[in-house]
Amino acid sequence: MELQFDNKVVAITGAGHGFGLVIAEDFAARGAAVYGTLAPGQPAPESISVRFSEVDLTDREAASAWIADIETKTCKSIDILINNAGGVVGRQHEPIEGLSFEDWDAVVNINLDATFTTCRAVARGMKRQGSGRIINISSNAGLRPSLTGVQAYTTSKHAVVGLTKQLAFEFGSHGVTVNCIAPGFFRSNPSSERQWQGYGDAGRAALVERIALKRLGAAKDISSACVFFASELADYVTGQVLSVDGGR
């Protein structure tokens, strides 16, 4: 079954690389009008099918304005919002007694606050049109302690799961579904690549051995999960968390 999204407007945060870029290109190939954010100063990938904008997602006004601008340009509400932006933003594990408030805020702001802000920005339009899909990318660190050891990352990803479940109830009567994807370990960005290399041969082998499928996944696996949640196949699915981790 070929799932198409013709005449659908899709907004994706963190679309410049990794999961976000693959998701954006996938929806564009399926007929959607796709808009994606880049971090300030991040070069735009070569893509003729995705409309990129530099947006500081930790700036609430800027993130909200990005959504409003898409609605103005398309003369309609967002059909599908995918909150993909996030990560440890260069932070590493520090014992909590030595963790700075600045480092805590930086991680929480991009993982949780940015997700809240874009959900808030699309709410009025989706409720008015009586349909929509919101897909939040959390992490297996949103379900258990994180391999990164970064407290703010684990906390914020757990909070994204809670926000998803609460918004599913708020949006449900308006015909809007809200779901969450929890990826396992993927070599999808510079931070995860450094983490992978840091494990050493024995650590990498042990990580793969704990996966039922005995291999790491690819960004396409996350994109496929997004396509499912955005499609008519998931019309009666909301408030759910889908672990895409090869069976941990």
Side-chain angles (χ1 to χ4, degrees):
M1 180 180 183
E2 186 64 27
L3 300 175
Q4 290 295 119
F5 296 93
D6 300 298
N7 303 315
K8 298 294 186 182
V9 175
V10 180
I12 304 175
T13 64
H17 70 278
F19 294 157
L21 181 57
V22 173
I23 295 167
E25 293 283 15
D26 196 356
F27 275 91
R30 295 171 186 274
V34 180
Y35 295 79
T37 68
L38 302 169
Q42 181 182 12
E46 293 185 6
S47 175
I48 60 173
S49 52
V50 180
R51 301 155 178 87
F52 291 106
S53 300
E54 287 189 24
V55 182
D56 179 0
L57 293 167
T58 66
D59 180 333
R60 292 171 177 170
E61 290 186 2
S64 300
W66 172 63
I67 294 294
D69 185 57
I70 297 171
E71 293 177 334
T72 298
K73 289 177 177 176
T74 60
C75 298
K76 65 174 299 187
S77 300
I78 307 295
D79 295 297
I80 301 162
L81 169 65
I82 301 172
N83 281 304
N84 166 73
V88 298
V89 291
R91 271 63 177 183
Q92 297 180 335
H93 170 69
E94 289 284 348
I96 191 169
E97 64 270 22
L99 181 65
S100 72
F101 292 120
E102 179 184 9
D103 284 347
W104 171 272
D105 289 343
V107 178
V108 172
N109 287 347
I110 190 60
N111 287 292
L112 176 59
D113 196 68
T115 297
F116 162 78
T117 300
T118 53
C119 288
R120 180 180 183 274
V122 302
R124 182 173 282 106
M126 284 189 175
K127 289 178 177 181
R128 182 174 59 245
Q129 74 181 2
S131 65
R133 297 282 199 270
I134 296 175
I135 303 164
N136 297 323
I137 308 297
S138 178
S139 167
N140 267 356
L143 307 174
R144 57 181 65 88
S146 171
L147 294 174
T148 68
V150 178
Q151 304 92 332
Y153 181 72
T154 309
T155 302
S156 56
K157 288 300 189 180
H158 273 74
V160 168
V161 172
L163 178 65
T164 298
K165 290 178 178 293
Q166 189 62 48
L167 291 183
F169 275 85
E170 178 175 339
F171 281 88
S173 61
H174 299 279
V176 178
T177 66
V178 188
N179 289 292
C180 190
I181 296 169
F185 183 85
F186 284 74
R187 296 171 67 184
S188 59
N189 56 58
S191 292
S192 62
E193 186 61 28
R194 286 193 297 271
Q195 188 178 347
W196 174 253
Q197 297 303 328
Y199 289 146
D201 291 341
R204 290 192 289 269
L207 188 153
V208 173
E209 182 61 28
R210 292 195 295 270
I211 299 172
L213 294 179
K214 306 305 179 190
R215 61 177 177 84
L216 298 182
K220 176 66 175 175
D221 298 312
I222 303 302
S223 179
S224 295
C226 289
V227 167
F228 165 70
F229 276 138
S231 76
E232 62 187 25
L233 297 178
D235 278 351
Y236 199 58
V237 180
T238 195
Q240 300 305 304
V241 182
L242 176 62
S243 290
V244 181
D245 57 10
R248 180 171 173 176

